Amino acid sequence: MTEDDRPADPARSRGTLRRWAPLAIILVLTAVAFGTGWHRSLTLDSLVAHERALRAFIDSNLFGALAIYALVYVLVVALSLPGGLILTLAGGYLFGWFLGGGLTVLAATAGAILIFLVARSSLGESLAERAGPRLAALREGFAANALNYLLFLRLVPIFPFWLVNIAPALLGVSLKTYVVGTFIGIVPGTFAFAFVGAGLDGVVDAQRASFETCMADASARGLDPASACDLGLDVAALVTPGLLAALAALGVLALIPIAAKKVLRRRSAR
């Protein structure tokens, strides 16, 4: 009997299934989300367009609305879909900065943990087995100061959230360190953007009034209101340089212990 004729090892097959099935599910769901265009509904214009219906649902079923918001946020993070910032602003706008910000931190952390576990199970072990000397050294260096590095990556808003979710899994960061670093690291930015979202009422009211005037004028002139009018809410205008600088400063603070450790190590080596 040749090696190819031997029956497959059930235990090995189950191990392979456990390893790759979660990643396959994530990829399929991500493809469905992009294929159906579901992620395109995560915009400020969509939020304003459905605001009255959303607030009516929240008033009649607060806990249900919170659960749906949290579930959507977990899915967006776990599937690495664009729209996390919009959802954070929406959470502050619809639920208030404190409740919306707190729920967002929990949901974002849960989604990040989910994709971290999938990446570590499916890719991390394989990468560790095939890692060359340079990558192995990078993994060791990152692991030695994993919490500080992770806090820096979370606090500085120039790194894509999906990349920071996956990279630690490939660099051998422990689950405990990842959870602590993620939870603490996203708190400042999340509450800052939730606070911005909570203050959008005046901006939204002004833009809605302008939009409704444009719609009426377009209809009177025989134009298509949908193509002639736009709410014009720009997320980039809400993310001020001062806010980004403050978050970047917090990120730099997270690296101070690493720099101090290296300085002390060099002095002791002299």
Side-chain angles (χ1 to χ4, degrees):
M1 179 181 294
T2 64
E3 185 175 346
D4 294 335
D5 295 330
R6 294 174 186 171
D9 183 0
R12 184 175 181 180
S13 299
R14 287 194 296 269
T16 301
L17 182 63
R18 284 196 300 267
R19 177 178 178 180
W20 294 108
L23 179 61
I25 293 172
I26 290 290
L27 292 177
V28 169
L29 292 178
T30 302
V32 170
F34 278 104
T36 59
W38 174 76
H39 64 289
R40 296 194 192 98
S41 62
L42 300 176
T43 64
L44 286 179
D45 288 359
S46 179
L47 171 65
V48 175
H50 299 92
E51 180 196 5
R52 292 187 176 92
L54 290 172
R55 291 200 181 278
F57 180 73
I58 291 171
D59 290 340
S60 62
N61 192 350
L62 175 60
F63 292 106
L66 291 172
I68 293 173
Y69 173 80
L71 178 60
V72 170
Y73 210 111
V74 169
L75 288 175
V76 166
V77 173
L79 301 182
S80 301
L81 300 177
L85 175 57
I86 298 296
L87 280 176
T88 304
L89 293 169
Y93 182 65
L94 295 173
F95 302 114
W97 70 269
F98 183 76
L99 180 58
L103 184 60
T104 298
V105 169
L106 294 176
T109 302
I113 292 172
L114 180 60
I115 191 62
F116 170 85
L117 292 175
V118 171
R120 187 177 69 171
S121 173
S122 299
L123 304 174
E125 296 178 1
S126 176
L127 183 65
E129 294 173 357
R130 294 174 171 80
R134 291 184 179 180
L135 185 56
L138 177 61
R139 286 169 60 94
E140 292 176 4
F142 194 93
N145 300 283
L147 181 59
N148 295 97
Y149 282 131
L150 188 55
L151 286 174
F152 173 75
L153 294 173
R154 291 295 188 194
L155 288 166
V156 180
I158 62 174
F159 303 101
F161 195 69
W162 65 268
L163 179 60
V164 184
N165 290 338
I166 297 174
L170 306 181
L171 294 173
V173 176
S174 68
L175 176 61
K176 179 180 179 181
T177 299
Y178 181 82
V179 172
V180 172
T182 297
F183 182 84
I184 297 176
I186 66 175
V187 164
T190 298
F191 275 98
F193 289 122
F195 188 79
V196 171
L200 284 178
D201 297 75
V203 176
V204 169
D205 290 342
Q207 289 298 110
R208 181 187 288 112
S210 175
F211 178 71
E212 291 175 351
T213 301
C214 176
M215 295 275 284
D217 182 62
S219 298
R221 292 189 295 166
L223 301 176
D224 180 14
S227 59
C229 303
D230 183 16
L231 280 170
L233 290 172
D234 186 9
V235 178
L238 304 176
V239 183
T240 64
L243 176 59
L244 296 179
L247 294 175
L250 289 175
V252 171
L253 288 177
L255 294 180
I256 290 179
I258 300 176
K261 186 186 299 184
K262 290 184 177 180
V263 170
L264 293 175
R265 189 179 301 161
R266 289 177 181 176
R267 289 184 178 180
S268 61
R270 292 177 182 175

